[in-house]
Amino acid sequence: MIVLYIFLFLIMACTWRTRYHIYTKGLCSLGLILTAYFSHQTKLFLLILPALLGYMIGDILLCKKELFKYGLNAFLIGDIAFLFFYYHFESFTYIELIVPVCAMILLEILTYFKIVDLSTYKTELTSYIFALVWLTTKAILTAINLNTLNFIMIAIGLILYLLSDILLVLYKKNNVQYLGIISIFLYYFGIFLTAYSFSFI
């Protein structure tokens, strides 16, 4: 599966600025679902499937500027579905909300000083960021509490996913090409780690 996924990722990267990109991007996301499926952990696969489907749909929708809002909503649904995956193993605690709430306060400060522009799609972007930071926080706490290889891998994967979005914001603001490339790599490698982690159970 690693070789297959690398192959799909390279095809997607090579067709980035072509009309075929929407199809190769969808195939790359499908590769993530297949990676989780072939771990032969059927119960866990079914638990994580809604999240991976949300990411796949979001990935495809983001290829079209006019569908950007719907792509964000798909990723938001994916993040929420991932949170429900975690609640099968660790119950909710108020501690996990501290970081996302702080992130929202920081985001408001950055927006106020015009360091970050949320004038377009503010509701969708704010909801998505809150959910992603919450999910990443939950992943880290669960990895610490359960201390198993698969949950540690998922936590690392989600941290990379979060970092990819931070780099994407910097890329959009400064238009530095290599930041965009690193952002794409971190996202796909991060989600691959989450899907591949089931092979270590």
Side-chain angles (χ1 to χ4, degrees), residues 5 8 18 22 33-34 52-53 61 63 70 81 83 87-88 91 96 107 111 122 133 139 162 172-173 183 189:
Y5 183 71
L8 291 175
T18 71
I22 188 171
I33 295 175
L34 292 175
L52 294 178
L53 283 173
L61 292 177
C63 289
Y70 303 104
L83 273 170
Y87 291 132
H88 285 84
S91 59
E96 66 197 57
L107 187 61
T111 304
K122 182 175 181 179
V133 176
L162 179 60
K172 294 289 185 182
K173 185 174 179 61
S183 171
F189 182 61

Side-chain angles (χ1 to χ4, degrees), residues 82-115:
F82 217 139
L83 273 170
F84 277 102
F85 163 82
Y86 270 109
Y87 291 132
H88 285 84
F89 306 95
E90 286 271 289
S91 59
F92 170 80
T93 60
Y94 289 106
I95 296 173
E96 66 197 57
L97 286 176
I98 294 174
V99 176
V101 168
C102 290
M104 290 300 99
I105 294 171
L106 177 60
L107 187 61
E108 283 298 320
I109 293 171
L110 293 175
T111 304
Y112 178 80
F113 287 104
K114 302 187 185 303
I115 298 172

Side-chain angles (χ1 to χ4, degrees), residues 8-198:
L8 291 175
F9 179 82
L10 289 175
I11 291 177
M12 182 198 66
C14 291
T15 58
W16 190 260
R17 296 189 181 277
T18 71
R19 60 177 177 168
Y20 303 108
H21 177 56
I22 188 171
Y23 306 109
T24 57
K25 201 176 183 187
L27 280 174
C28 194
S29 294
L30 179 61
L32 295 169
I33 295 175
L34 292 175
T35 299
Y37 174 76
F38 284 114
S39 68
H40 303 296
Q41 299 292 335
T42 306
K43 182 180 178 181
L44 291 179
F45 171 72
L46 292 175
L47 289 177
I48 201 67
L49 181 59
L52 294 178
L53 283 173
Y55 296 155
M56 179 180 178
I57 294 169
D59 242 1
I60 294 170
L61 292 177
L62 288 181
C63 289
K64 302 287 186 179
K65 288 183 179 180
E66 64 271 20
L67 298 177
F68 183 80
K69 177 174 71 174
Y70 303 104
L72 278 178
N73 286 333
F75 272 103
L76 171 62
I77 292 169
D79 291 339
I80 293 171
F82 217 139
L83 273 170
F84 277 102
F85 163 82
Y86 270 109
Y87 291 132
H88 285 84
F89 306 95
E90 286 271 289
S91 59
F92 170 80
T93 60
Y94 289 106
I95 296 173
E96 66 197 57
L97 286 176
I98 294 174
V99 176
V101 168
C102 290
M104 290 300 99
I105 294 171
L106 177 60
L107 187 61
E108 283 298 320
I109 293 171
L110 293 175
T111 304
Y112 178 80
F113 287 104
K114 302 187 185 303
I115 298 172
V116 173
D117 181 18
L118 292 181
S119 56
T120 309
Y121 308 122
K122 182 175 181 179
T123 301
E124 290 82 3
L125 284 166
T126 304
S127 302
Y128 165 71
I129 294 168
F130 182 83
L132 178 55
V133 176
W134 184 356
L135 171 61
T136 307
T137 304
K138 184 64 178 179
I140 294 170
L141 291 174
T142 304
I144 292 171
N145 291 335
L146 298 184
N147 195 30
T148 60
L149 179 59
N150 61 303
F151 279 108
I152 291 172
M153 284 182 67
I154 295 174
I156 293 171
L158 289 173
I159 290 169
L160 294 178
Y161 172 16
L162 179 60
L163 286 175
S164 76
D165 273 356
I166 294 172
L167 287 179
L168 187 60
V169 171
L170 295 174
Y171 163 67
K172 294 289 185 182
K173 185 174 179 61
N174 302 299
N175 199 28
V176 180
Q177 196 66 34
Y178 73 87
L179 290 178
I181 295 170
I182 296 172
S183 171
I184 293 165
F185 175 77
L186 289 180
Y187 168 73
Y188 283 101
F189 182 61
I191 302 301
F192 175 78
L193 279 182
T194 67
Y196 193 64
S197 66
F198 298 139

